[in-house]
Amino acid sequence: MWIGVRQRFRRFHEELRLSADQIDDGLGKQLGVRKSLHRAYYDETTETPRGFIVGSWGKETAIAPPSDVDIFFELPTAVYHRIETYQGNKQSALLQEVRGHLLTTYPQSSIRGDGQVVIVGFNSVAIEVVPAFRYDNNGRFYMPDTNDGGRWKLVDPQAEIAFLEAADRNSNGNARAMAQMLKTWKRECNVPLKSYQIELLVAEFMTSYENRYYDYYWYDWFMRDFFAWLCTKAWANLTIPGTFELVNLGNDWLSKAQTARDRALTACSHEYNDYTILAGEEWQKIFGNRIPIHVL
């Protein structure tokens, strides 16, 4: 029984991994953006500019093809005090200032401020820049949020990375793989959950999941059990690591989770009976054609 599961999910996971060229491209572009801002705000040229990678690249959960690389860029404290003297939406003013500096380096690129980030729209992959001010020496920062008149938002990106890393270590490397696969479900089925929410949900689930140490042979059950668990999380709060901010999940995504749960149940039944093609067809309804139908 279950003769196709291990091969199916191993190939699926391999299909999602970034290629060496994609990694080099993303790393090179984010480094160039950080160098540009370092010159603008610190008046020096360096190969080791301020800032660091966050988001899915920082957590090692990015999937191919990559859409963006998220980075934090630490600004001098003096910039914060200067921006605080402005009238109106100070955070929007900061994003526009950062955008202006980047346009000097990348005049042919589409660059725009959007809510909390400045997006540099390169052809192959976008770089999303969070201009941030160090709040303390424990890894927390203030970042701009232009919504609702503007505010400074306290964040701890390294704590979010560490939270997923701990869950991954505690699950034999399965938490990151699960997050990557579930991000593919998000893309394929237009699920209204944010990537960081999926990562936090996976980390929470895998921390106590009884089968978390097993390999790809168990991934049909991983998916079945995760979707069933996810369906119980409507209107639940997620706690953001480091700042302990509560984010409510709402339930806009619930019907898609219920559909995925039901399809996973059907797929698991087919896998049990070694109806590998029928199982593959069900999995593709969840994850699209990146998970194979034919595995033997």
Side-chain angles (χ1 to χ4, degrees):
M1 295 180 290
W2 298 295
I3 59 175
V5 175
R6 180 178 282 119
Q7 183 180 355
R8 188 189 316 281
F9 281 93
R10 179 186 291 118
R11 285 172 53 188
F12 180 29
H13 190 206
E14 289 171 351
E15 169 70 18
L16 301 180
R17 290 173 175 155
L18 301 178
S19 70
D21 287 345
Q22 289 169 336
I23 292 171
D24 289 345
D25 181 49
L27 292 180
K29 284 186 168 59
Q30 65 83 28
L31 180 61
V33 168
R34 286 166 50 214
K35 286 181 178 180
S36 172
L37 291 176
H38 194 100
R39 285 193 302 271
Y41 283 102
Y42 293 93
D43 197 26
E44 64 177 2
T45 299
T46 178
E47 292 301 310
T48 56
R50 298 282 183 129
F52 52 91
I53 299 173
V54 295
S56 60
W57 282 62
K59 297 169 187 167
E60 299 178 40
T61 60
I63 59 175
S67 57
D68 53 61
V69 182
D70 301 301
I71 61 173
F72 263 54
F73 183 81
E74 182 181 349
L75 295 169
T77 304
V79 175
Y80 173 82
H81 294 301
R82 172 168 57 79
I83 294 293
E84 275 291 279
T85 67
Y86 292 6
Q87 299 298 314
N89 194 319
K90 302 175 178 66
Q91 292 73 24
S92 179
L94 176 62
L95 292 189
Q96 293 309 310
E97 178 179 293
V98 170
R99 175 180 179 272
H101 287 308
L102 290 170
L103 277 171
T104 301
T105 306
Y106 304 106
Q108 304 303 316
S109 297
S110 170
I111 304 178
R112 59 189 175 90
D114 184 18
Q116 301 174 338
V117 299
V118 176
I119 302 171
V120 186
F122 295 113
N123 289 334
S124 55
V125 63
I127 306 299
E128 297 198 0
V129 186
V130 176
F133 301 102
R134 184 171 293 276
Y135 177 79
D136 58 25
N137 292 323
N138 297 319
R140 294 188 293 178
F141 290 83
Y142 269 145
M143 63 177 284
D145 182 352
T146 66
N147 297 307
D148 300 322
R151 66 174 180 131
W152 300 112
K153 181 179 179 181
L154 186 64
V155 291
D156 191 340
Q158 297 297 349
E160 294 183 35
I161 292 172
F163 183 69
L164 184 60
E165 169 65 27
D168 200 55
R169 286 197 311 270
N170 189 47
S171 62
N172 196 30
N174 287 317
R176 283 193 173 102
M178 282 280 289
Q180 289 175 303
M181 294 177 188
L182 290 161
K183 287 184 181 184
T184 307
W185 166 60
K186 166 184 162 62
R187 280 189 186 180
E188 180 67 21
C189 297
N190 297 311
V191 181
L193 284 169
K194 297 183 183 299
S195 290
Y196 83 87
Q197 293 173 330
I198 287 176
E199 291 159 350
L200 289 174
L201 285 162
V202 168
E204 181 182 340
F205 172 76
M206 294 300 285
T207 296
S208 58
Y209 183 47
E210 61 183 357
N211 298 321
R212 64 187 179 276
Y213 296 112
Y214 296 138
D215 70 357
Y216 294 115
Y217 184 64
W218 290 74
Y219 267 50
D220 58 335
W221 283 21
F222 278 27
M223 293 302 172
R224 177 199 66 187
D225 297 344
F226 176 82
F227 285 126
W229 174 83
L230 180 60
C231 289
T232 71
K233 303 298 283 186
W235 298 107
N237 286 323
L238 288 178
T239 302
I240 306 300
T243 64
F244 307 106
E245 175 188 4
L246 296 180
V247 175
N248 192 274
L249 289 171
N251 72 344
D252 290 345
W253 47 270
L254 180 57
S255 63
K256 292 181 184 290
Q258 291 168 333
T259 298
R261 175 200 61 198
D262 294 345
R263 287 171 172 166
L265 281 166
T266 301
C268 283
S269 176
H270 290 323
E271 297 284 20
Y272 174 83
N273 290 297
D274 292 332
Y275 301 150
T276 59
I277 293 176
L278 290 176
E281 290 173 345
E282 287 301 313
W283 291 124
Q284 285 202 346
K285 293 175 185 176
I286 300 172
F287 299 113
N289 60 15
R290 303 186 73 178
I291 188 168
I293 289 178
H294 301 279
V295 291
L296 300 177

